[in-house]
Amino acid sequence: MRMSVARIGDAPLPLRKKQIMPPVIRGLLWAGIGFLVVNCLVAYLLDPQYGDPFITQPSVVFGWIAATAGWLLGIGGLENVLLPSFGITVTYPEATGWRRYFAYSTNHKVIGIQYLVSSTGGFFIAGLAAMLMRIQLMGDHMWFFPYAGQYIETVGIHGTIMMFSVGTVALVGGLGNYLIPMMIGSNSSAFPRMSALSVWLVPAGIMTVILSPLLGEWTTGWRGYEPLAQNDPNGILFYYLGVLALTLSSLMVSLNLTTTILFKRAKGLTWNRLPMYAWGILAVSLLNIIWLPEIEITFILAVLDRVVPLPFFTAVGSPITYLELFWLFGHPEVYIIVVPAFAIWMEIMPVMARKPLFAREWGIIGLIFVMMLSGFVWAHHMFTNMRLTEMLPFSFFTEMISIPTGFAYMVVIGTLWRSRFRMTVPSLFVLMSMFNFLIGGMTGVFLADPVINLQLHDTFFVVAHFHFTIIGGMVFTWLAAMYYWLPKFSGRMYNSKMGVLGAIWVFIGFDGAFSLMFIQGLRGMNRWVPVYPPYLQGINIVISIFAFILGLGFLFNLIHIAWAMKSGKKVQENPWQSKTLEWQTTSPPAEESFAAAPVVTGSFYDYEDDDESFSIPTTPGPVSM
């Protein structure tokens, strides 16, 4: 591939008109070459069995590392990150139009859209796996999947992609990258090159998990339990490596957004004026920085346990340690998913209520204390493996964390009280999210009680609770945010009737399916199993029908949002009359959001008067880049 290269101090050479190969195609090609070359080297030269079989545990791990490196270099890391590190300048004309979303870009708005598209793709891939599970569960015996292990593997792929490419990515990597710099009055994030690379780890991680069945089925579910995984073929390695890629992406995003909020705020944007969504992103980014390295080290140990091998989690080592390490991260992950949702509630509702945000300080305190307490509740996932004296402290903190969680409800309800509330599609989705998360929280209080937990452990009651928390709390809020900021993304508005229809559609499908799972769990339906007693078949069929309705509802909303972004009615730049800074730019934003540096002069949530909460000098001044 020819490219124009100029060393430091030399006159730049003329630019090529275009690249020979699109970055995505080049990345895929280099990934495939990297895997084949390194896998062959390890399997044929370093492995004592000399290429029999062709793919071994060491060869597939090193091959994956080479493939991921080739993917990142091919997508743009070579000329934008690696070569400049050695003083070599490589220049290509920057992609424009739709092509820039399929190339390396340091524009935080492009990166945000790339994250959102990747998360949406992961959401529907995981959703398809869920539909296959529900088809199997319509019968009380094996009829759709030939073998039980295939069903369990589908459950694992569904949960892994949904948790690590959607739950922890969409509201942080997607909306966070797009909105946070504009919300704080900056034209860029702190480390744009890092986010420009990290976004491409998401499709790499998703594809790794999807391709895992090619190496053999793994039956541990989305948690990858050791030493159970010792019985699985090499497919479990792609689980560990895929999640490692996805969590590395989230960690890099969190480092970038934390630094951006700390050091790139506009003049006058003090901590007591920081938007609520920025507070939520700061809290969840700190959670990621604390806990993601822990689970990444755990997965590296699990890989080494199979490749070297080192008996960390076998009977020679400590079989229960993996469970402890996984859930030490696993429950903070729940709050990594829902804390941004709480912040979005408090961001959207005062705009729709046209009333100052009630008890704003308590809302911030709630976000911070949820972040702090999230690391003290994890062991309630392991009550069946613990002594009573060990259960009580974790039961106490599990119930205590509901108090700061309730602050978000207090803030929103207080804001709506005696307000001029506008029932729009975003506010409808927020209200639905609050209702669903309330059910998830109330049933969580039951599961925090050891006596009840021991009876309901590993039943569909837990599945229902979990999905009311994650899907009901986070995904409904994600839809609220997409409809709320859709005019910012595109300069166009959704169809109100279609939006309301989409909201009601998914609400009926979701609550119909997962409410019945509480009853199903109480009647003895265990999770993780594809067969069950015949008396449970009727309720399983009804749940599956509601699940299919839910899947079609999500697809309807995706089509509607995509149509609105392309063909919706054009609207004014700030159709909600919001006071936060991202709405004071053009819609959609220009390459540089602010021509002049904004100066924040008041609260963004004071809707009792029409005074602006900011000023933008008429003479352009330096903007934080």
Side-chain angles (χ1 to χ4, degrees):
M1 179 181 297
R2 293 179 58 198
M3 57 183 76
S4 56
V5 179
R7 294 189 177 276
I8 294 177
D10 296 341
L13 297 176
L15 290 173
R16 286 184 54 85
K17 290 184 179 180
K18 66 176 183 178
Q19 292 176 292
I20 295 176
M21 188 180 298
V24 171
I25 302 299
R26 186 179 69 166
L28 290 172
L29 179 62
W30 289 9
I33 293 173
F35 182 86
L36 288 174
V37 170
V38 174
N39 182 83
C40 289
L41 286 174
V42 176
Y44 281 89
L45 298 181
L46 301 180
D47 193 279
Q49 297 185 16
Y50 190 70
D52 184 24
F54 174 65
I55 292 180
T56 65
Q57 292 184 350
S59 72
V60 78
V61 170
F62 286 103
W64 179 87
I65 293 172
T68 304
W71 165 250
L72 294 178
L73 291 174
I75 205 72
L78 176 65
E79 57 266 27
N80 292 285
V81 178
L82 182 62
L83 293 181
S85 301
F86 294 95
I88 303 173
T89 302
V90 180
T91 51
Y92 281 125
E94 191 168 340
T96 57
W98 62 268
R99 290 179 177 84
R100 61 181 178 162
Y101 298 107
F102 295 90
Y104 176 99
S105 175
T106 56
N107 186 314
H108 70 92
K109 297 179 283 290
V110 173
I111 295 170
I113 295 296
Q114 289 171 333
Y115 265 111
L116 286 172
V117 171
S118 295
S119 282
T120 302
F123 180 79
F124 280 93
I125 292 169
L128 176 61
M131 297 300 105
L132 299 179
M133 292 152 49
R134 290 313 317 175
I135 292 173
Q136 168 59 44
L137 291 176
M138 293 180 78
D140 60 1
H141 58 283
M142 298 302 302
W143 71 281
F144 183 76
F145 289 100
Y147 302 102
Q150 295 171 333
Y151 171 84
I152 299 300
E153 187 173 39
T154 304
V155 175
I157 291 173
H158 162 77
T160 302
I161 294 177
M162 194 68 81
M163 292 296 289
F164 294 103
S165 75
V166 180
T168 59
V169 171
L171 300 187
V172 183
L175 295 177
N177 264 301
Y178 194 101
L179 295 170
I180 289 299
M182 288 192 291
M183 276 189 162
I184 65 173
S186 175
N187 279 334
S188 71
S189 60
F191 303 122
R193 288 188 178 184
M194 184 164 68
S195 279
L197 271 187
S198 69
V199 67
W200 294 105
L201 285 170
V202 177
I206 293 173
M207 287 305 300
T208 301
V209 175
I210 292 174
L211 294 175
S212 61
L214 297 179
L215 302 179
E217 65 185 33
W218 42 286
T219 58
T220 62
W222 70 275
R223 301 161 299 184
Y225 277 165
E226 297 279 0
L228 176 63
Q230 297 290 327
N231 300 320
D232 289 334
N234 293 344
I236 189 67
L237 288 172
F238 266 18
Y239 160 80
Y240 292 132
L241 296 172
V243 176
L244 181 63
L246 293 169
T247 53
L248 278 174
S249 176
S250 295
L251 180 60
M252 294 163 75
V253 168
S254 296
L255 290 169
N256 184 23
L257 292 179
T258 299
T259 309
T260 301
I261 294 171
L262 290 177
F263 298 109
K264 295 181 74 70
R265 301 192 308 277
K267 183 179 180 181
L269 185 52
T270 56
W271 290 109
N272 64 335
R273 292 174 176 171
L274 193 69
M276 296 303 293
Y277 183 55
W279 272 109
I281 290 296
L282 181 60
V284 75
S285 295
L286 293 175
L287 273 174
N288 278 332
I289 292 169
I290 294 169
W291 294 113
L292 286 179
E294 185 270 336
I295 195 62
E296 289 164 358
I297 292 172
T298 302
F299 284 177
I300 290 172
L301 292 176
V303 171
L304 292 175
D305 207 355
R306 297 177 66 94
V307 171
V308 177
L310 297 174
F312 293 117
F313 306 123
T314 65
V316 178
S318 177
I320 203 171
T321 299
Y322 180 92
L323 277 70
E324 295 172 334
L325 291 175
F326 181 88
W327 289 118
L328 185 60
F329 156 81
H331 211 83
E333 183 189 23
V334 173
Y335 297 101
I336 289 170
I337 293 171
V338 300
V339 162
F342 297 160
I344 289 174
W345 297 353
M346 295 183 279
E347 194 68 54
I348 293 176
M349 295 311 263
V351 178
M352 300 305 170
R354 312 310 300 171
K355 180 184 173 185
L357 187 65
F358 175 78
R360 178 180 182 273
E361 294 80 4
W362 284 102
I364 296 170
I365 291 171
L367 295 176
I368 293 173
F369 270 84
V370 166
M371 178 193 73
M372 294 172 59
L373 292 174
S374 64
F376 293 91
V377 303
W378 57 273
H380 66 233
H381 293 274
M382 299 175 58
F383 279 170
T384 52
N385 303 97
M386 300 172 65
R387 294 187 296 270
L388 181 61
T389 53
E390 296 173 322
M391 296 180 190
L392 295 179
F394 291 102
S395 175
F396 170 77
F397 282 112
T398 301
E399 298 195 10
M400 175 174 282
I401 203 169
S402 63
I403 297 174
T405 301
F407 289 176
Y409 282 85
M410 176 188 70
V411 170
V412 172
I413 294 172
T415 302
L416 295 179
W417 180 254
R418 303 183 70 176
S419 67
R420 296 168 288 169
F421 180 60
R422 294 179 292 177
M423 180 60 79
T424 61
V425 174
S427 56
L428 178 59
F429 268 111
V430 169
L431 292 174
M432 290 176 174
S433 175
M434 294 176 66
F435 174 81
N436 289 331
F437 190 84
L438 181 64
I439 294 176
M442 292 174 64
T443 53
V445 173
F446 287 103
L447 292 173
D449 189 302
V451 176
I452 299 176
N453 184 290
L454 294 175
Q455 297 298 315
L456 298 176
H457 188 80
D458 265 344
T459 69
F460 262 76
F461 189 96
V462 179
V463 175
H465 155 73
F466 183 77
H467 283 80
F468 265 98
T469 302
I470 303 302
I471 303 295
M474 177 265 170
V475 174
F476 274 74
T477 302
W478 183 16
L479 286 169
M482 291 302 297
Y483 279 107
Y484 176 70
W485 278 294
L486 190 147
K488 174 53 55 183
F489 299 148
S490 63
R492 299 177 182 273
M493 183 61 78
Y494 56 84
N495 180 287
S496 295
K497 292 182 179 179
M498 293 297 101
V500 171
L501 173 61
I504 296 174
W505 191 336
V506 295
F507 184 80
I508 292 174
F510 175 82
D511 284 70
F514 291 98
S515 295
L516 290 175
M517 287 186 188
F518 289 119
I519 301 172
Q520 188 183 34
L522 291 170
R523 295 184 66 193
M525 177 73 184
N526 288 102
R527 56 179 178 167
W528 304 106
V529 292
V531 295
Y532 50 83
Y535 74 90
L536 291 169
Q537 186 174 8
I539 193 171
N540 267 301
I541 291 174
V542 176
I543 290 173
S544 293
I545 292 171
F546 275 113
F548 300 149
I549 293 171
L550 175 62
L552 291 173
F554 282 133
L555 184 60
F556 175 85
N557 279 280
L558 172 66
I559 294 172
H560 178 214
I561 291 172
W563 169 85
M565 294 186 72
K566 178 69 175 178
S567 305
K569 181 181 177 181
K570 291 186 177 181
V571 292
Q572 56 183 309
E573 292 177 350
N574 186 4
W576 308 119
Q577 293 85 49
S578 172
K579 292 190 174 186
T580 46
L581 287 178
E582 82 276 14
W583 287 107
Q584 316 313 321
T585 64
T586 58
S587 296
E591 188 72 17
E592 292 189 357
S593 304
F594 302 96
V599 178
V600 179
T601 58
S603 170
F604 293 124
Y605 303 104
D606 186 1
Y607 290 98
E608 289 185 335
D609 56 57
D610 295 326
D611 293 341
E612 300 287 359
S613 57
F614 64 94
S615 64
I616 298 180
T618 54
T619 303
V623 184
S624 179
M625 299 295 291

